Amino acid sequence: MSVRLMVLDDHRLLAEALASALKQRGHRVLAAAAPAAGAAELVISRAPEVCLLGTREPGRAGVFEPVRRIKKERPQVAVVVLGPVPAPRGIAEAFAAGASGYVRSDERIEGVERAMLKARAGEAAVAPALLEEAFCELLNPAARPDDEAARLLGVLTSREAEVLVRVAEGEDTRVIAAGMGIAPSTARTHVQRVLMKLGVGSRLEAAALAARTGLLERAGPARLEAVPHPEAGTPAGPVHPR
C-alpha cells in the first residue's frame, strides 16, 4: 500500500537517503528536507498522510513543538518520530505532543515502513516494550532535572537566593551591598556562603550552575520576596535596577 509522505530531518543526506529508499518501495514522497526551522509549516502546507520527523535530541526542551503545531493544524497527518532511544519520558513526550509513532533511527527500512502503515491506520507505531516503559514513566514520573534546582535552592536562605541572582547578573560586591541595603562586608559574607553551599569555587561557576540547572529561574521569585515592602515599615534600601 502506497503512502503519501514527507521526510524531515536535520541532516539532508539522511532525509534524502530515506526518501529514496521509500520511493523504491512504491511510496509517494512529497518532500525530503532538512529545515532548521519551519518543519511544521512545511508539513501543514503539503498535508501528507504521514510525516517522518527525525531528531537527534528527543530529550531537548521544545523538540516536539513542531509535532504539536502539525497536529493542531492538520490533525489527520500521522507523525512518526525517528530518533535514538531516549529515556522513556522522551518517547512519552513525543506521544503527548501528538506523535503516532516512535522508531529508532537505526531501524531497518522494513521497520520504518511498517510504522508508517500502522500510523496511517491510527495505531501506535512503537515497539511494545518501549511503549510500556514510556507510559509507565508518563503515569509515574521520575525526578526531573529541575529537581536539582529545587534541592540547591532549598539550602539557600532567601537573602542568599537574592545574592545568587545578583551574582548571575554580574553585580560586584559593592553593587550587591547597595542594592540590598547592607554593608559590603555582609554582602561579601553572603557571596561566600552561596559559593560554599553550591559547592563551587567562583562567582562564574555559581552563575553557570544556576543557569544549567534552572536554579536562576527558581531563585528569581525568592529575590522578589526578600525585598521588604515599603508599607511594612522596614526600609527596603535602594534596589539596583535589573
Side-chain angles (χ1 to χ4, degrees):
M1 296 176 64
S2 176
V3 176
R4 192 174 73 255
L5 71 136
M6 294 178 66
V7 182
L8 304 179
D9 195 288
D10 290 339
H11 294 78
R12 182 175 296 278
L13 200 59
L14 295 180
E16 292 179 348
L18 180 55
S20 177
L22 290 169
K23 282 180 181 178
Q24 291 177 17
R25 300 178 77 86
H27 300 289
R28 182 186 173 195
V29 179
L30 302 181
E41 288 75 10
L42 190 58
V43 175
I44 291 167
S45 67
R46 303 297 294 273
E49 293 178 293
V50 176
C51 169
L52 299 179
L53 182 65
T55 178
R56 299 292 171 274
E57 302 176 280
R60 179 169 54 84
V63 71
F64 297 122
E65 189 56 36
V67 181
R68 292 188 178 88
R69 285 283 316 283
I70 292 168
K71 297 305 291 185
K72 179 181 179 181
E73 300 293 332
R74 298 282 187 179
Q76 73 276 18
V77 175
V79 181
V80 176
V81 176
L82 303 177
V85 175
R89 174 162 288 276
I91 300 174
E93 289 179 348
F95 277 91
S100 300
Y102 192 105
V103 179
R104 286 179 54 149
S105 51
D106 60 355
E107 178 63 80
R108 296 173 63 88
I109 191 66
E110 294 84 0
V112 176
E113 188 175 39
R114 283 195 300 270
M116 287 165 38
L117 293 172
K118 291 184 70 174
R120 186 178 66 172
E123 302 176 41
V126 64
L130 291 179
L131 187 61
E132 182 179 355
E133 289 181 10
F135 280 96
C136 281
E137 177 71 11
L138 190 62
L139 295 173
N140 304 287
R144 302 302 303 278
D146 61 1
D147 286 344
E148 177 67 6
R151 184 188 69 79
L152 292 172
L153 189 58
V155 304
L156 301 177
T157 66
S158 60
R159 290 293 256 180
E160 289 165 351
E162 180 181 358
V163 167
L164 175 61
V165 173
R166 291 178 179 277
V167 166
E169 290 176 344
E171 296 184 3
D172 59 24
T173 302
R174 179 185 57 78
V175 176
I176 291 174
M180 297 179 65
I182 57 179
S185 59
T186 304
R188 192 174 300 108
T189 298
H190 281 318
V191 171
Q192 291 303 317
R193 286 178 178 169
V194 168
L195 300 184
M196 179 186 67
K197 289 184 176 183
L198 296 183
V200 296
S202 70
R203 296 179 181 222
L204 186 59
E205 288 180 60
L209 177 63
R212 186 173 67 251
T213 62
L215 178 58
L216 198 56
E217 289 74 17
R218 296 286 194 90
R223 171 185 173 176
L224 295 178
E225 292 171 5
V227 179
H229 193 284
E231 295 180 0
T234 303
V239 177
H240 185 77
R242 298 185 63 179

